[in-house]
Amino acid sequence: MPKENLKIQIPASSSNLGPGFDCFGLALTIHNEYDIEFIDSYDEFEINSNLKDEFCPNNKENLFYKAFQILFRKEGFNKIPSIKVELNAQIPCSGGFGSSGTAVLGGLVAANNFLECKYEESELLKEACLIEKHPDNVCASLLGGFCLSSFEDEKLISKKIDWQLEEVDILMLYPLDFRVNTDEARKILKENHPIKSSVSNLSNSAFFTAAVLTEDLELLKESIKDKIHEQERLQLIPGASEIISMAKEQSAIGATISGSGASLIVFLDSKSNLDIIKDKAKEIWAKNKLESESILCKVSNSGALIY
Ligand code: HSE
């Protein structure tokens, strides 16, 4: 029996945020919106979007559809209800915005709605983590705000913290037609780190979290530092190191790689030189033969919404 059509809006996310590798996620006010029509038949799938085919193929290889099938298979369905989907994507496909996580969540949330919300948020997140392999982006996109998460031995722990630092703007800088493969960007990381680096990340993660909880901008500024992934990954993104240093010189609160890149996240307040940072970032990327764009946004305390 066909279900009512629904619309699902899912925010982009930035992960790691410096010290919180595979743990920190931040939902952003940039969204993808899925309009889903349930059709009275089985095993048919169609998706249309404003994205290039390579990012949103109109076939069953689509990540949204792969995720959509999971709960039905778990429930023992032999046939999957047919759907037709319109995707209105605001989230750039440059890595670092958690866009694959939004597709996975879109499919899971749509299926769960069909199944009368039998699965709880934590169960949906676990399924999403099994696909994505890391929990930070999907937790932020589903729950919103600043999320802490861990996914060890298939056990998920997540905690959403509302972001109250209203004065903070987020500038996302990203090159066009240049992507960092997340698997590759994970393989280049060291397996073991000196205790000094681990202690530094541990302290800065705690300070970052305390800064968000106590709305302390100075502490936030001190804590956006990493010693376990950023240096290795900067080598994969031409110009990124120069852009991050430049943003800090121009009074950004902090700047770092968003997720595994290639996007960069810059935290700003009214003292930061927004226009100079945007212009200089474009120049630096152009010098490295990369066209680029930027989006100014906020942290979104809302996660995925169903209409
Ligand atoms: N935490 C993950 C990583 C995010 O840095 O590999 C990938 O988007």
Side-chain angles (χ1 to χ4, degrees):
M1 196 171 49
K3 290 278 163 160
E4 264 181 45
N5 299 339
L6 65 140
K7 198 190 274 278
I8 305 172
Q9 190 195 59
I10 308 182
S13 64
S14 176
S15 56
N16 301 335
L17 313 177
F21 180 72
D22 274 0
C23 174
F24 287 0
L26 201 59
L28 305 175
T29 51
I30 310 168
H31 303 95
N32 278 1
E33 210 168 73
Y34 295 90
D35 268 300
I36 298 150
E37 189 185 335
F38 286 97
I39 296 169
D40 195 7
S41 65
Y42 289 97
D43 294 331
E44 284 170 34
F45 172 66
E46 185 182 329
I47 186 163
N48 298 298
S49 78
N50 55 332
L51 299 175
K52 287 187 192 153
D53 262 14
E54 61 181 299
F55 297 121
C56 186
N58 185 13
N59 59 44
K60 290 184 177 175
E61 289 307 303
N62 194 293
L63 200 47
F64 177 100
Y65 190 66
K66 285 187 177 172
F68 180 72
Q69 297 171 78
I70 290 172
L71 302 185
F72 294 109
R73 302 272 181 234
K74 272 174 94 89
E75 291 294 309
F77 283 50
N78 294 321
K79 296 187 291 183
I80 307 295
S82 298
I83 46 169
K84 188 174 168 195
V85 181
E86 294 286 334
L87 164 60
N88 179 9
Q90 265 186 8
I91 304 176
C93 291
S94 312
F97 285 84
S99 62
S100 66
T102 61
V104 169
L105 289 173
L108 288 167
V109 170
N112 195 36
N113 205 271
F114 188 97
L115 296 167
E116 286 160 0
C117 299
K118 177 166 182 188
Y119 290 83
E120 290 181 9
E121 261 176 359
S122 57
E123 294 170 295
L124 298 183
L125 278 176
K126 187 176 170 190
E127 294 302 330
C129 289
L130 288 169
I131 301 179
E132 286 282 287
K133 309 276 190 277
H134 49 87
D136 37 8
N137 291 102
V138 286
C139 286
S141 285
L142 189 70
L143 307 175
F146 169 52
C147 282
L148 310 176
S149 56
S150 74
F151 190 55
E152 274 182 65
D153 303 325
E154 302 197 359
K155 180 173 186 235
L156 173 75
I157 304 177
S158 65
K159 180 76 187 167
K160 172 191 176 176
I161 298 174
D162 270 322
W163 181 272
Q164 310 284 12
L165 289 157
E166 291 296 332
E167 62 273 55
V168 174
D169 285 322
I170 304 290
L171 179 67
M172 297 295 289
L173 301 167
Y174 57 100
L176 302 170
D177 302 323
F178 177 83
R179 286 180 68 83
V180 169
N181 178 296
T182 299
D183 289 339
E184 295 302 320
R186 292 180 79 82
K187 276 188 210 142
I188 62 160
L189 300 179
K190 285 190 220 142
E191 286 280 332
N192 298 299
H193 293 271
I195 188 121
K196 242 178 128 171
S197 310
S198 310
V199 170
S200 172
N201 271 55
L202 185 64
S203 315
N204 284 315
S205 306
F207 288 138
F208 189 115
T209 307
V212 175
L213 285 168
T214 60
E215 299 168 44
D216 184 338
L217 270 189
E218 278 310 307
L219 189 59
L220 188 71
K221 189 170 188 169
E222 280 299 318
S223 67
I224 305 176
K225 291 179 189 141
D226 164 78
K227 294 220 169 122
I228 65 171
H229 61 93
E230 194 182 75
Q231 278 315 313
E232 285 89 342
R233 286 177 164 183
L234 283 174
Q235 293 157 26
L236 303 177
I237 314 169
S241 183
E242 198 180 337
I243 293 173
I244 289 174
S245 307
M246 174 277 293
K248 291 180 189 165
E249 279 160 24
Q250 294 299 333
S251 307
I253 297 167
T256 184
I257 302 173
S258 180
S260 59
S263 314
L264 308 177
I265 179 168
V266 185
F267 295 78
L268 305 167
D269 67 4
S270 56
K271 295 189 205 123
S272 317
N273 298 318
L274 165 67
D275 291 334
I276 299 180
I277 295 173
K278 269 167 64 174
D279 293 349
K280 282 191 183 275
K282 219 174 182 34
E283 275 170 33
I284 295 168
W285 259 328
K287 204 170 67 187
N288 286 279
K289 307 205 172 0
L290 293 174
E291 262 192 77
S292 64
E293 284 293 345
S294 61
I295 301 183
L296 184 65
C297 60
K298 288 279 196 188
V299 175
S300 167
N301 279 323
S302 312
L305 298 174
I306 303 174
Y307 302 96

